Amino acid sequence: MKHLFMTILSLLLTPSLFAKEEAEIIENKLLNLYAPTIHFNAKIWMNPAIKYDMLNLSISSLSIGGVLQDKDGDSYLVQEGYSDKKIKCNVESFYKLSDTEKIFGSASYTNGRVENMLWNENADFSILYPYVTGDSIGGYMLSEEYYFSGGYVNRFRVWTAGAEFSYRASISYRDKDPRPRNVVSDLKLKIGLSRSISRYRIGASFSARKYKQNSHIAFLADKGSVSVYHMLGFGVDYARFAGDETSTNYAGHELGGSIEFIPENHYGFSLSLGGEFLHITKFLTNLNHAPIADINEKKISLDASWLEKSSELEYGVMLHAEYLKREGTEHILGDPTGNIYPVISEATQFHSPILKTSISGTIGKHIPKNRWGWNIDPHLGYMSIHPSYTSRSRYMKVSSLHTGIKIQSLWQIKKMLVSVYTNVDYTAKLSSDYALHGLNLESSLGKTILSNISYLSDTHTSLSIGSRIDYYINHKNALFLSGEYIHRNYNQSGVASLGEINIGFTF
Amino acid sequence: MKKFFLSLALLTGAILFTSCEDDDIQFTEATLDLKFSSTTTDSITISSGEYTFKDVTTGLETKLDAMKSSLSLAEGTYNVTFIGKGSYTVASTDYEVQVDLQGSIQNVVVIGESISLELELIVIEANREGDFVFAELFLAGTLKPDNKQYNGDQYIILHNNSNKVLYADQLILIESKFLTNKKYDYTPNIMKEAMAVHGMFMIPGKGTEHPVNPGENFIICDNAMNHKKEANPNSTDLSTANFEWHSDLSTVDIDNPNVPNLENLYLSAGKFWMASKQGNKAYVIGRLPENMTKESYLEKYKYDYEYELSGKPRPQTAYKFPNEWIVDAVNISPNSTFAWSVLDQSLDLGYTSLGETSSTTENMGKAVIRKKNEEKSAEQGRLILLDKNNSGTDFNASQKASLLAQ
């Protein structure tokens, strides 16, 4: 994997290193990255055919960074633990091959350590929940992740066609009992098409994804093994296979599509409407790959924005709405014959609808004119989650309102471009309710569920400050240093703080 | 622009309310019928009882009174048990015999709109004569202070549950070949007539060398030594056990010359036997018939069978021990993963557990201990243990081993 990573990294850097002389200088390239047309409705650029218009220049960056996190309390999902340390190397490139062709790509390597995971020994909890394999011991999790992506887009007259792929491979493990070893491969492919109509561009994309995770938990200590459980949601487990069924695999796919609508000059009304359907099945490897549960998730999202500019200011408003419905279906297995468990029925027990809506705005003065720019981005949103487990009548219902503002300033100081920002967010619980019938709240599992409910329904404030300084080495290259500090204060679940620093090279 | 925002609002609304919850659980109407295993007891009247439907997927139990004959169940796989009481009148007399009634079916597939379940009941006379019974099985071993597993302190306590002196001589301790938490279709299926044997060990003696008084126990153990003093402070003193099982592998087994060894009649794999620490086998005690020598048994009772694994037949050879020679039997299985009974229902209707799962760490120090029959003990003035041929109700599962408390 490391050799492949280095090869892809070289390929990403090669076009830029041997780029022909262009009129663009690094200063202008970097200023372009701060433009609201890129950030305000970022979702629209997810279609590779639309991405053609995101930048009309070539830029690449190479960076290395680290994240340190500290917390006091339980302000995290217990099954995910909290990320204590992370180091990441990242290469990104957007390159204009010709007047009609552009390529883009990225490669990254992340090495991290997550602390205090409990009742989950898998990677990618957010993809697999609630069907993870867990135990009451848990602990830290070490992980390495390789990520590559690449895309090509071509414009011919009014049409633009593009394709993009990404591949993520990760291994996560613990070198102490219980010893999970999770190997993930996650491949995505997206194709997009757009057409210019009048002064607008209309696009559509189709995406497909193939996901796989092989997991095994080993116990090497003389003490022996503890029981592992195949969780079904809200503290329920697949009792029939509790104990020593330590090998599992997950396989699934995702299909998606989107349509986009964006002005050719990026100012005016833009819209992105997308939908995705994810299906993953969990298998017990040692029982002839008996399928024990299915995850089905439907997601639909809408991002509609309006962006304008005057001689002095740029301003806009955006509406975001997202509805996600996750359903978990348990397979009922019959009398085994020859260690083969036939599927005799199924029951959809787990339901988790999530609704998110928000309205956000931006107003700012772009930098080139005054050597000083600023923008203010307020937002107001609503979110509700209502996961439930049918037959046990267990559920959680939380709704919250969040509001916040981001203030950013940008200066050109001699050979430097300095960005400073602060972000204040406040999330207020509007309502919360739960029922955990039959769950022993004093047990490890009961405490886990209660801790998660408390965290997800907690009113909290978040404050972040950050800065990025780019130093122009010459007219083609720049060095940058960026840092961010985030502090979150929860009413019940304690405090958490995170510091991130990155150093890199842009060209 | 107004039209546009109106359309947008409608679209957003459509997105927000496109879902409705449907609880996709199918239910099946199950009708129940009871029949008796013996044709001579057709006139039995059921006076009380209860069905238990254990959903093997979730472990949840649904109870139903014996007087009802149908219920609605969520589709699934169930272990169904009936335990009740009844009576019958002996032909041409007025003598009424009280009986215990029990029956079970494992892995019943409940799907579709309705199913019909027929449960065969075993009839046990309440006042039958007693024999030796398992009083306690401690198989999980202990943990040393340095958190390492300690082996060699497994023990089994047998109890004279009769009202007369019984002799332990030539009593045979047997471990089942098949696992209670992994089911295969073994052919030929001999369960109705015999059990498949993994290992069998005979108590020495010529017939009257080891008397056991009514209500008294004797101990069979792995290594008859003072484990607590000599090896593991978390263990117990077994130096005064009555018998020990011993292999010839002196490097892993310690022989106490003062405690008689069981005679190894048969062991299907290797020379060293340790009872299943995972608690996923059945144990029985039995006797060869009077005219049967161990040599003739070993000659005549081979069991050739096969089962399918990964699509391929796996021929195997073991021994079989006829059900009618069995004195007492107990199925042991991790509670959550019980797959089937490896004994005929007439020997043991249920199962008992060292723990919820087969985790050795969690089950350390735990045993299954037979319950006291309070009523009969008080009535007859000696310790009488519960023996209804149902280890699920006869035993207290997952208990701290009694000798570890000493």
Side-chain angles (χ1 to χ4, degrees):
Chain A
M1 185 57 74
K2 278 179 184 162
H3 292 297
L4 178 65
F5 178 74
M6 293 308 291
T7 309
I8 290 177
L9 192 142
S10 310
L11 287 171
L12 281 168
L13 296 177
T14 304
S16 297
L17 290 173
F18 296 97
K20 60 187 176 188
E21 192 72 33
E22 293 184 30
E24 303 156 345
I25 60 170
I26 191 69
E27 181 182 339
N28 290 338
K29 289 182 183 183
L30 290 169
L31 284 171
N32 259 287
L33 296 181
Y34 285 97
T37 48
I38 291 179
H39 296 287
F40 193 51
N41 189 352
K43 192 86 179 285
I44 208 149
W45 307 119
M46 304 302 279
N47 179 344
I50 299 283
K51 197 169 185 171
Y52 183 95
D53 294 307
M54 188 175 83
L55 290 169
N56 195 27
L57 49 82
S58 297
I59 186 165
S60 297
S61 71
L62 175 66
S63 67
I64 184 165
V67 178
L68 270 176
Q69 185 167 320
D70 193 19
K71 61 141 199 83
D72 183 13
D74 302 319
S75 52
Y76 61 97
L77 283 178
V78 178
Q79 291 95 330
E80 288 191 317
Y82 67 93
S83 177
D84 187 39
K85 297 182 191 83
K86 199 189 283 181
I87 293 174
K88 184 175 182 180
C89 319
N90 189 46
V91 181
E92 284 179 273
S93 188
F94 189 95
Y95 188 70
K96 188 176 169 184
L97 281 178
S98 70
D99 288 343
T100 57
E101 286 176 297
K102 288 173 185 172
I103 55 169
F104 47 89
S106 68
S108 67
Y109 168 75
T110 310
N111 191 315
R113 179 184 168 109
V114 170
E115 299 290 341
N116 280 16
M117 283 175 69
L118 200 59
W119 292 106
N120 170 33
E121 297 290 10
N122 285 108
D124 297 340
F125 178 75
S126 60
I127 297 174
L128 303 182
Y129 81 95
Y131 298 134
V132 293
T133 307
D135 58 66
S136 59
I137 308 293
Y140 62 85
M141 188 80 88
L142 306 168
S143 68
E144 287 186 61
E145 181 180 285
Y146 297 87
Y147 177 82
F148 321 107
S149 71
Y152 171 81
V153 56
N154 194 327
R155 177 158 289 173
F156 42 99
R157 297 181 186 169
V158 295
W159 291 94
T160 306
E164 184 179 5
F165 86 96
S166 71
Y167 181 70
R168 178 173 66 95
S170 79
I171 179 168
S172 53
Y173 59 96
R174 185 184 304 123
D175 48 9
K176 179 183 170 187
D177 284 4
R179 297 164 193 256
R181 187 175 186 275
N182 304 306
V183 179
V184 173
S185 67
D186 190 359
L187 178 69
K188 291 181 190 172
L189 185 68
K190 186 180 268 189
I191 53 172
L193 195 66
S194 71
R195 189 186 196 284
S196 177
I197 298 173
S198 181
R199 63 184 194 92
Y200 280 93
R201 181 160 289 276
I202 294 172
S205 76
F206 170 78
S207 64
R209 175 185 188 184
K210 188 171 166 56
Y211 180 86
K212 198 173 174 188
Q213 182 175 154
N214 287 327
S215 302
H216 177 71
I217 303 170
F219 294 88
L220 300 183
D222 289 341
K223 189 179 177 183
S225 62
V226 297
S227 299
V228 299
Y229 299 87
H230 300 282
M231 309 311 295
L232 301 176
F234 276 98
V236 183
D237 75 287
Y238 209 125
R240 191 178 192 179
F241 303 116
D244 55 4
E245 289 303 333
T246 51
S247 293
T248 54
N249 67 298
Y250 299 79
H253 63 268
E254 185 180 74
L255 297 174
S258 69
I259 52 171
E260 292 82 15
F261 182 78
I262 183 172
E264 292 280 14
N265 69 354
H266 304 173
Y267 291 97
F269 174 73
S270 301
L271 179 139
S272 170
L273 178 66
E276 284 155 12
F277 171 72
L278 172 74
H279 174 87
I280 291 176
T281 302
K282 178 178 183 178
F283 301 89
L284 294 180
T285 312
N286 292 336
L287 297 182
N288 281 295
H289 296 268
I292 60 167
D294 284 342
I295 297 155
N296 289 299
E297 184 179 275
K298 295 168 201 155
K299 181 180 171 185
I300 186 161
S301 65
L302 169 78
D303 290 86
S305 65
W306 178 69
L307 191 64
E308 271 304 337
K309 66 174 176 180
S310 66
S311 57
E312 286 289 310
L313 297 172
E314 289 179 86
Y315 48 91
V317 63
M318 184 168 79
L319 175 72
H320 171 75
E322 180 180 318
Y323 183 77
L324 184 149
K325 186 177 183 184
R326 172 169 282 238
E327 289 186 327
T329 300
E330 295 161 19
H331 291 185
I332 312 296
L333 305 179
D335 195 13
T337 304
N339 212 26
I340 295 170
Y341 287 76
V343 178
I344 57 161
S345 183
E346 54 186 39
T348 303
Q349 298 270 22
F350 183 78
H351 301 267
S352 178
I354 299 174
L355 169 67
K356 294 178 186 172
T357 56
S358 65
I359 184 162
S360 52
T362 185
I363 182 165
K365 184 182 276 190
H366 201 35
I367 188 167
K369 197 172 177 181
N370 301 317
R371 312 297 287 173
W372 175 65
W374 55 268
N375 59 291
I376 297 171
D377 301 343
H379 68 88
L380 174 69
Y382 170 84
M383 183 170 91
S384 84
I385 55 176
H386 183 197
S388 61
Y389 190 90
T390 303
S391 67
R392 306 282 177 104
S393 301
R394 294 180 188 172
Y395 69 87
M396 173 179 72
K397 204 186 276 188
V398 176
S399 64
S400 60
L401 200 62
H402 59 91
T403 184
I405 189 164
K406 181 181 180 184
I407 301 170
Q408 183 172 33
S409 189
L410 204 59
W411 290 274
Q412 286 269 29
I413 307 169
K414 293 183 180 173
K415 294 177 81 175
M416 287 194 295
L417 177 65
V418 179
S419 156
V420 178
Y421 63 88
T422 182
N423 201 340
V424 183
D425 284 299
Y426 178 70
T427 301
K429 175 179 76 178
L430 292 178
S431 66
S432 84
D433 186 19
Y434 68 87
L436 298 171
H437 299 293
L439 181 65
N440 178 2
L441 299 180
E442 293 302 313
S443 67
S444 165
L445 200 49
K447 287 176 183 169
T448 295
I449 304 295
L450 282 178
S451 173
N452 285 349
I453 291 173
S454 170
Y455 165 64
L456 291 169
S457 60
D458 206 357
T459 293
H460 62 277
T461 310
S462 171
L463 171 70
S464 66
I465 52 170
S467 178
R468 172 173 164 143
I469 301 167
D470 289 271
Y471 177 77
Y472 311 130
I473 302 169
N474 52 42
H475 73 284
K476 285 177 74 176
N477 304 309
L479 283 172
F480 75 86
L481 176 69
S482 70
E484 184 178 32
Y485 174 78
I486 303 172
H487 181 83
R488 292 195 184 93
N489 197 336
Y490 291 78
N491 278 7
Q492 308 287 333
S493 304
V495 295
S497 47
L498 180 148
E500 180 173 359
I501 191 158
N502 287 287
I503 185 163
F505 179 63
T506 315
F507 49 98
Chain B
M1 191 55 84
K2 268 184 186 174
K3 273 186 184 172
F4 166 73
F5 277 109
L6 185 62
S7 310
L8 194 60
L10 287 171
L11 187 58
T12 310
I15 290 170
L16 303 189
F17 302 106
T18 42
S19 121
C20 63
E21 296 261 332
D22 19 68
D23 298 336
D24 193 12
I25 302 172
Q26 306 298 319
F27 285 85
T28 298
E29 191 70 14
T31 53
L32 307 160
D33 187 28
L34 296 171
K35 72 169 191 175
F36 301 103
S37 57
S38 165
T39 51
T40 60
T41 53
D42 276 349
S43 58
I44 286 177
T45 306
I46 297 171
S47 55
S48 65
E50 190 176 57
Y51 295 93
T52 303
F53 296 82
K54 183 177 179 182
D55 184 336
V56 299
T57 304
T58 61
L60 285 180
E61 291 185 346
T62 305
K63 306 271 189 187
L64 181 73
D65 189 86
M67 300 307 147
K68 295 182 178 166
S69 59
S70 71
L71 84 164
S72 183
L73 289 170
E75 282 192 345
T77 305
Y78 289 83
N79 289 336
V80 185
T81 308
F82 176 86
I83 295 174
K85 288 186 182 299
S87 62
Y88 68 92
T89 306
V90 177
S92 68
T93 72
D94 292 334
Y95 183 63
E96 191 177 71
V97 179
Q98 300 296 320
V99 290
D100 291 315
L101 303 167
Q102 50 191 21
S104 79
I105 324 177
Q106 284 125 29
N107 298 318
V108 177
V109 173
V110 176
I111 50 171
E113 282 188 10
S114 64
I115 62 155
S116 182
L117 269 181
E118 193 176 75
L119 206 60
E120 185 174 293
L121 294 185
I122 306 287
V123 181
I124 303 166
E125 288 198 20
N127 293 315
R128 65 191 172 134
E129 196 179 328
D131 203 325
F132 283 120
V133 294
F134 286 103
E136 179 177 345
L137 294 99
F138 170 60
L139 313 175
T142 48
L143 204 58
K144 293 203 287 186
D146 61 0
N147 263 349
K148 290 184 177 174
Q149 289 187 48
Y150 181 73
N151 299 315
D153 54 359
Q154 293 178 318
Y155 67 82
I156 292 170
I157 300 177
L158 298 178
H159 178 81
N160 179 356
N161 218 29
S162 76
N163 58 2
K164 62 186 179 192
V165 174
L166 294 175
Y167 294 91
D169 304 53
Q170 296 171 23
L171 195 66
I172 300 171
L173 171 68
I174 299 170
E175 185 181 65
S176 70
K177 177 72 180 171
F178 304 146
L179 303 178
T180 50
N181 61 347
K182 282 266 189 292
K183 187 186 175 192
Y184 293 92
D185 279 343
Y186 298 103
T187 52
N189 183 346
I190 56 165
M191 202 92 84
K192 284 278 177 200
E193 62 183 72
M195 72 173 288
V197 174
H198 170 69
M200 52 199 300
F201 313 91
M202 183 186 272
I203 292 175
K206 292 183 177 167
T208 54
E209 292 174 25
H210 305 293
V212 182
N213 290 323
E216 288 188 356
N217 297 333
F218 67 97
I219 301 170
I220 304 172
C221 70
D222 187 349
N223 292 329
M225 59 182 269
N226 190 338
H227 297 271
K228 191 180 181 76
K229 192 174 171 186
E230 295 174 37
N232 176 16
N234 296 332
S235 188
T236 189
D237 180 7
L238 292 172
S239 59
T240 56
N242 301 80
F243 305 98
E244 61 177 350
W245 61 78
H246 179 69
S247 73
D248 296 331
L249 300 174
S250 56
T251 51
V252 291
D253 214 350
I254 299 162
D255 188 17
N256 181 345
N258 299 320
V259 176
N261 293 339
L262 300 188
E263 184 182 353
N264 295 354
L265 291 188
Y266 166 71
L267 191 56
S268 74
K271 290 182 175 178
F272 177 78
W273 181 63
M274 181 190 288
S276 166
K277 291 184 69 158
Q278 291 82 11
N280 57 1
K281 290 194 169 187
Y283 294 85
V284 310
I285 47 174
R287 297 186 187 93
L288 296 178
E290 277 185 17
N291 54 355
M292 175 78 68
T293 63
K294 58 193 178 191
E295 290 79 13
S296 60
Y297 166 78
L298 292 173
E299 191 185 322
K300 293 176 184 169
Y301 284 85
K302 271 199 172 164
Y303 173 37
D304 294 314
Y305 66 96
E306 67 174 38
Y307 68 103
E308 202 173 277
L309 184 64
S310 306
K312 291 180 183 169
R314 310 276 167 160
Q316 304 279 315
T317 297
Y319 274 86
K320 57 185 175 184
F321 196 82
N323 292 344
E324 58 189 294
W325 301 351
I326 290 174
V327 170
D328 191 34
V330 52
N331 273 310
I332 300 180
S333 169
N335 188 40
S336 61
T337 56
F338 173 68
W340 68 321
S341 171
V342 296
L343 301 168
D344 185 59
Q345 273 197 43
S346 59
L347 298 172
D348 188 5
L349 183 83
Y351 69 94
T352 185
S353 304
L354 299 186
E356 192 58 27
T357 69
S358 57
S359 160
T360 48
T361 307
E362 291 159 18
N363 296 337
M364 287 285 173
K366 290 180 183 170
V368 295
I369 300 178
R370 203 166 206 128
K371 295 173 189 169
K372 182 181 176 183
N373 188 330
E374 300 285 354
E375 193 183 328
K376 278 196 171 181
S377 296
E379 185 184 299
Q380 298 189 25
R382 62 187 163 86
L383 176 62
I384 298 178
L385 301 179
L386 202 58
D387 184 16
K388 293 182 183 293
N389 286 1
N390 182 349
S391 51
T393 53
D394 289 346
F395 282 82
N396 284 315
S398 200
Q399 302 293 301
K400 180 168 184 180
S402 64
L403 299 184
L404 291 184
Q406 296 171 8

